[in-house]
Amino acid sequence: MDLLRRVGRNQRGRDFVVGDLHGHLQQLKLQLENIGFDGNCDRLFFVGDLVDRGPDSEQLLAMVDQRTYISIAGNHEAMMLAGFADPAESALHQLNGGDWFYSLPGDRQQRCVEKVQQWPWAIEIDTGDGRIGLVHANLPDGDWRRMARSLAAIDAAWQAGKSPAREPLAGVARGILWERTLVEQFYGDFLASETTAREIAAFKDREMQRAGDAGAGQCAEWVAGGSSDRLAPFRVSGIDAVYMGHSFVPVPIQVGDCHFLDTFRGEPGQALGIVCISAP
């Protein structure tokens, strides 16, 4: 599969995007049940980091079929591939929750690796109302077309099974799977404000009350306001909007053209950031 995958409009059902799962399959099942997710017509897109930390990494990898459950790779999947290819790289993965992988028999490790090697690093989705992009961590320079060219330049190396920790993949991986340029801009421009932090906390409390005893399902996004100059760093070119994970935010966040969905660490009062991007 190409490193950039283009997906056509869902003509039969809804499309959702979910933030980093990190092995928490049961939380995903709960929220999908609460939104009435129908695998016969709905689709769920993952922004990477399905593995590590939680109890169900291997099961989540098996869930991805790239038809109903569609995923890009995150930096944790990249660490898994690198650790499998080179034992010297495995320590970094283990330090970040990857012990589960090295406890598996070799054949099961191989299946996990072969699965992820078929995943793209970015997805472009036709929603019917525009084009939405998915990347795990960051869109370098806010330029989708430039990123697409970077992925095309390393696609042959990826198809050949090169490690994402080695060049020519490593440099592109840093910009897309690891760096936090956009979300750090949000931290500095918005979350650093006590007023904004209180506003987001109140928004989260209201959403928890709305969910009630059933728990969360589809999530609302907190939308950042401000002048055009304040939102300018979060405008992207070559795509209408970009959805990302990788960096924790207290609730799903929209700021400008950027959407941040990494909201779950398995703590009380947290929910996976699942948002609907298209519906019939």
Side-chain angles (χ1 to χ4, degrees):
M1 184 177 291
D2 293 342
L3 280 171
L4 172 59
R5 179 183 177 189
R6 293 179 172 88
V7 177
R9 182 181 179 185
N10 187 348
Q11 301 284 354
R12 302 186 302 143
R14 301 168 294 171
D15 282 345
F16 297 90
V17 181
V18 62
D20 303 28
L21 290 163
H22 284 301
H24 289 101
L25 176 59
Q26 297 311 309
Q27 180 68 28
L28 177 64
K29 286 183 174 179
L30 170 67
Q31 291 186 232
L32 291 182
E33 182 179 350
N34 286 344
I35 63 177
F37 185 86
D38 183 351
N40 293 313
C41 57
D42 298 331
R43 300 186 299 195
L44 179 65
F45 293 87
F46 305 92
V47 295
D49 278 10
L50 280 71
V51 302
D52 301 343
R53 300 176 181 158
D56 303 314
S57 293
E58 192 177 10
Q59 294 91 324
L60 279 164
L61 291 180
M63 182 180 185
V64 175
D65 58 13
Q66 299 298 27
R67 295 183 301 275
T68 298
Y69 302 101
I70 301 167
S71 189
I72 58 175
N75 66 305
H76 280 255
E77 284 83 24
M79 286 189 285
M80 183 184 77
L81 297 186
F84 183 78
D86 181 357
E89 297 287 343
S90 65
L92 177 63
H93 186 208
Q94 290 175 285
L95 283 172
N96 285 277
D99 283 342
W100 68 275
F101 178 73
Y102 303 96
S103 69
L104 296 178
D107 60 333
R108 286 164 64 185
Q109 289 185 9
Q110 182 73 43
R111 283 198 295 272
C112 291
V113 165
E114 289 176 351
K115 183 109 181 190
V116 173
Q117 284 174 332
Q118 300 302 311
W119 294 5
W121 289 12
I123 289 177
E124 184 176 311
I125 307 164
D126 178 2
T127 68
D129 294 318
R131 290 160 46 249
I132 284 176
L134 308 183
V135 291
H136 176 61
N138 193 56
L139 179 62
D141 302 315
D143 190 329
W144 188 263
R145 295 187 188 91
R146 184 180 299 176
M147 181 206 66
R149 291 193 294 271
S150 297
L151 291 176
I154 63 168
D155 196 70
W158 175 248
Q159 303 295 343
K162 299 292 186 182
S163 169
R166 296 286 181 262
E167 298 298 345
L169 298 177
V172 178
R174 279 193 296 273
I176 297 171
L177 305 183
W178 287 91
E179 288 183 359
R180 307 176 192 269
T181 307
L182 287 166
V183 75
E184 285 180 350
Q185 183 92 36
F186 171 72
Y187 292 159
D189 288 357
F190 290 89
L191 276 185
S193 162
E194 291 186 8
T195 300
T196 300
R198 286 195 298 269
E199 183 180 336
I200 292 175
F203 177 88
K204 181 177 181 179
D205 287 343
R206 290 194 299 271
E207 288 302 300
M208 289 178 63
Q209 291 173 8
R210 181 180 63 83
D213 293 339
Q218 178 181 332
C219 300
E221 292 181 275
W222 180 82
V223 180
S227 67
S228 57
D229 287 344
R230 193 180 191 197
L231 295 177
F234 307 98
R235 299 300 182 192
V236 300
S237 62
I239 199 85
D240 294 307
V242 177
Y243 287 71
M244 294 164 277
H246 188 54
S247 300
F248 182 79
V249 287
V251 296
I253 300 286
Q254 178 187 350
V255 52
D257 302 325
C258 299
H259 301 253
F260 304 111
L261 300 181
D262 182 13
T263 59
F264 190 76
R265 291 293 183 269
E267 300 296 329
Q270 294 181 347
L272 292 166
I274 299 180
V275 297
C276 184
I277 58 171
S278 70

